[in-house]
DNA sequence: ATATTGACTCCCA
DNA sequence: ATGGGAGCCAATA
């Protein structure tokens, strides 16, 4: 698979995250059939062109924490605002760590439309969507 | 071509 | 529950 295809697939999945919900890099990678490419999902978001309809803000780490990619960047801050605007409650730690309750807003379907699940490490699980 | 980094995750102390 | 270290795959330097 090409990096461009990887990005496209990642975007395709991220676009399907419902409003008011968040998921993790690792899960997206898993849905793509590449559970070991968690970091590259974030990488793809970095390649994300402006104006795209990809809700990158709904993607956080597996701990539900928003990675503060640099003290001089406001990305994490904007991400929090965007999430709160969608109704997602974001907790802020002492040092400004942004935490989202995955138990409450986490969205982890076993598979999504257009996703290629099934590449080596595969452990099917029921939708943890506990609405 | 080799070394380092990165919007990560998991396991063990 | 928290903290530190190793594992991973690609992109960049």
């Amino acid at each position: 698979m090409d990096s461009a295809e990887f990005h496209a697939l990642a975007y395709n999945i991220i676009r399907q995250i419902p409003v008011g919900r968040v998921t993790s890099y690792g899960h997206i990678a898993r849905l793509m059939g590449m559970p070991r490419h968690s970091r590259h999902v974030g990488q793809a978001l970095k390649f994300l062109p402006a104006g795209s309809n990809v809700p990158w803000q709904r993607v956080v780490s597996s701990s539900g924490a928003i990675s503060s990619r640099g003290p001089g960047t406001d990305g994490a801050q904007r991400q929090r605002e965007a999430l709160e605007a969608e109704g997602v409650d974001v907790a802020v730690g002492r040092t400004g760590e942004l935490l989202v309750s995955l138990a409450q807003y986490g969205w982890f379907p076993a598979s999504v439309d257009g996703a290629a699940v099934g590449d080596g490490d595969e452990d099917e699980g029921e939708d943890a969507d506990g609405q």
Side-chain angles (χ1 to χ4, degrees), chain A residues 63-103:
Chain A
S63 310
I66 300 173
S67 304
S68 42
R69 51 272 189 196
T73 60
D74 59 316
Q77 198 54 222
R78 293 200 311 116
Q79 185 166 354
R80 167 159 76 101
E81 292 180 38
L83 287 174
E84 292 187 323
E86 295 182 351
V88 177
D89 180 49
V90 179
V92 184
R94 178 175 73 56
T95 75
E97 51 187 81
L98 276 28
L99 296 171
V100 179
S101 270
L102 293 182

